[in-house]
Amino acid sequence: MASSHAKDSSFLGGRIPPEIESMSKNLKDVDHDMFRRILKAVVSALDGKDCREVMRTIAESSTIPQKRLGHIIAGMYRLLSEAIRIPTSSLKQEAFKEDLRELRIPEDFITDFSSVVFGNRRAALEAARSLNDPHLPTIEELKWRVDVAISTSSLARAMQPSVLMQMKLSDGSFNRFEVPVSKFQELRYNVALILKEMNDLEKRSILKIQD
Amino acid sequence: MADAEAAKSLSALLHGIAQSVFYKRSDVTEELLRAELFPELPPLDFRVLHDKMRGVVKSVATADMDRAQLEAFLTAQTRKQGGGGLSAEQAAALSRFWKSQRVRVRESLLAQSRWEPGLRGLSWRVDLQAAASRGHAAHSGPVALVELELGRAGQDSEFVCLEFDEAKVNEMLKKMADIQESMDRLVQHT
């Protein structure tokens, strides 16, 4: 139809990823029930859950050869990953459905795909996906203690306060270190400065990065 | 004048002793000090001088004497009969030495009782996440990347890199305030 010629290339880009091409070829042998089972497992995987057991059950109860099943699952996973990556302001539901029709995916399946990408589970999936982004460890827990060294083996009268900190990081590691009073002031000042910078950043319109 | 020279040598000896005993300079040996500062003195006589000076310096340092305490101590030492006492010149040299080195010596002694790595410094930057390979960037706000420099005395630093979102920075700031409050209360009591 005339409208499809005026349309930009698919949301999948100029070249359709091979696993999606392969999936679309194999989907015609899958009944709706089986499709829904696989879709459920794939969504669960996108959510970050371990679905090896579920996949194993599907594989065992299906007549589809394992290799083809593998292609189908990989294709569905990739399709949904790519769709969720794009903000809803850029990829509208109708355009998404059109793109899937071009891949010759059955209409029923398109509806199911669409309800995952544009339904109310979307936000949760996005959050789960962003956990995979590269990032540095964060502080999970910070414990502290203020000590005063009254006397030591080297100094009879020390009377020296210091702060002992123990950090537990998100990667499971621990760091314990001492902060002398002067360094503590520097630390506190810098943390306050960081917060100020973050607040300033939010006030500036640069934060509203549109695509 | 010979006196000025003697005073200089004595001062240098005290500084040399500090280098060896407090600042961990193992290359500053007794033999080196003798050769550099008192070449004419027989080794045995030098040893007596060296040990006496070292003993006094250690006593003063361990007690972290203030001016009054030092005065009293040195006076008592000069009044000592026999060979164990200090001469007036030696007392004067010690007084000058402690005036200039007290803070540094105290710091190095405190460091000897610190067994955890210390915070040496930190640097940071605030980023705005624009895109990510998997996730949806629009949900992120500013992200602070912080690098902490930690190290034990005499050892190389270890660098720990962390990231914080705004909520986390707020949480940290609140903890800092709690710590400050705790320290302020300490000062009131002591």
Side-chain angles (χ1 to χ4, degrees):
Chain A
M1 293 170 238
S3 59
S4 59
H5 287 292
K7 194 162 124 356
D8 296 325
S9 65
S10 157
F11 79 93
L12 292 165
R15 230 178 135 226
I16 308 294
E19 58 263 51
I20 296 180
E21 288 252 17
S22 159
M23 168 199 74
S24 59
K25 288 196 194 97
N26 288 306
L27 266 180
K28 54 178 160 319
D29 299 324
V30 179
D31 67 48
H32 202 171
D33 213 36
M34 173 60 71
F35 172 81
R36 283 205 162 144
R37 281 177 70 193
I38 300 175
L39 184 64
K40 194 163 173 217
V42 168
V43 170
S44 191
L46 285 167
D47 221 358
K49 299 193 179 64
D50 181 0
C51 23
R52 283 172 293 180
E53 258 320 300
V54 180
M55 290 297 183
R56 208 193 324 269
T57 314
I58 293 176
E60 280 164 5
S61 65
S62 157
T63 49
I64 305 169
Q66 271 213 20
K67 192 163 177 208
R68 291 223 336 250
L69 197 58
H71 284 278
I72 293 168
I73 292 169
M76 286 170 70
Y77 185 89
R78 181 75 189 264
L79 184 104
L80 289 173
S81 289
E82 292 297 330
I84 291 170
R85 255 202 83 227
I86 304 171
T88 46
S89 51
S90 297
L91 177 65
K92 298 281 185 246
Q93 187 160 330
E94 231 354 271
F96 172 75
K97 286 182 164 179
E98 258 312 306
D99 288 339
L100 295 195
R101 279 177 206 124
E102 300 232 329
L103 292 170
R104 312 244 200 283
I105 294 174
E107 196 61 33
D108 284 348
F109 295 6
I110 292 180
T111 310
D112 286 349
F113 275 134
S114 199
S115 69
V116 171
V117 176
F118 297 96
N120 45 19
R121 278 204 71 182
R122 167 85 183 230
L125 286 175
E126 276 177 1
R129 298 304 283 150
S130 70
L131 290 179
N132 284 336
D133 293 342
H135 61 181
L136 294 170
T138 61
I139 294 182
E140 225 171 71
E141 189 185 36
L142 178 69
K143 291 189 188 167
W144 58 267
R145 194 172 95 185
V146 174
D147 283 342
V148 178
I150 309 283
S151 178
T152 74
S153 46
S154 335
L155 210 50
R157 200 191 62 197
M159 302 310 288
Q160 182 76 6
S162 73
V163 183
L164 194 63
M165 290 197 178
Q166 180 167 292
M167 298 190 307
K168 180 178 176 204
L169 302 185
S170 56
D171 62 3
S173 64
F174 283 88
N175 275 98
R176 186 162 57 217
F177 55 94
E178 215 180 296
V179 186
V181 175
S182 56
K183 273 282 175 256
F184 175 75
Q185 302 303 344
E186 188 184 323
L187 182 64
R188 188 177 177 206
Y189 171 73
N190 276 284
V191 174
L193 198 53
I194 290 173
L195 192 62
K196 179 184 176 301
E197 282 297 321
M198 286 173 142
N199 284 330
D200 284 352
L201 205 54
E202 282 178 327
K203 292 200 188 93
R204 286 186 232 145
S205 59
I206 196 171
L207 189 73
K208 317 271 185 274
I209 296 177
Q210 301 290 357
D211 40 2
Chain B
M1 288 193 293
D3 274 351
E5 279 303 309
K8 261 171 82 180
S9 298
L10 205 51
S11 279
L13 176 63
L14 293 173
H15 280 271
I17 288 170
Q19 291 287 342
S20 160
V21 172
F22 305 117
Y23 310 149
K24 305 286 172 232
R25 291 283 305 277
S26 52
D27 50 333
V28 179
T29 60
E30 190 185 321
E31 184 41 45
L32 179 79
L33 291 171
R34 191 195 73 81
E36 292 288 315
L37 305 170
F38 296 91
E40 283 93 50
L41 209 56
L44 227 54
D45 290 356
F46 176 75
R47 164 152 297 170
V48 169
L49 173 67
H50 175 269
D51 288 355
K52 178 157 63 174
M53 289 300 115
R54 191 177 59 186
V56 172
V57 166
K58 276 176 126 172
S59 297
V60 171
T62 310
D64 188 33
M65 292 184 190
D66 60 27
R67 195 181 242 187
Q69 290 166 324
L70 184 68
E71 287 277 339
F73 178 72
L74 290 177
T75 307
Q77 290 293 313
T78 50
R79 290 220 180 102
K80 255 191 186 171
Q81 303 295 20
L86 292 175
S87 70
E89 295 81 26
Q90 289 169 341
L94 278 156
S95 191
R96 277 194 310 272
F97 163 78
W98 191 236
K99 199 170 173 192
S100 75
Q101 294 298 302
R102 182 187 178 190
V103 171
R104 197 175 160 196
V105 167
R106 183 182 149 85
E107 204 24 67
S108 76
L109 286 177
L110 281 168
Q112 284 180 21
S113 300
R114 283 194 199 115
W115 305 299
E116 304 289 359
L119 179 67
R120 285 181 174 166
L122 84 158
S123 28
W124 56 268
R125 69 171 206 241
V126 175
D127 277 1
L128 202 49
Q129 196 181 352
S133 58
R134 292 258 184 98
H136 190 47
H139 287 293
S140 323
V143 170
L145 304 180
V146 176
E147 184 186 74
L148 296 175
E149 186 182 354
L150 307 174
R152 287 194 175 86
Q155 289 178 7
D156 286 341
S157 292
E158 181 201 345
F159 292 89
V160 180
C161 298
L162 305 165
E163 76 174 45
F164 299 80
D165 61 18
E166 207 171 331
K168 206 37 120 165
V169 177
N170 236 326
E171 192 186 320
M172 290 298 117
L173 201 57
K174 167 96 189 23
K175 285 199 193 263
M176 306 268 135
D178 291 342
I179 295 173
Q180 185 66 57
E181 205 185 329
S182 191
M183 290 199 297
D184 291 343
R185 260 185 276 131
L186 257 183
V187 172
Q188 283 170 22
H189 286 153
T190 53

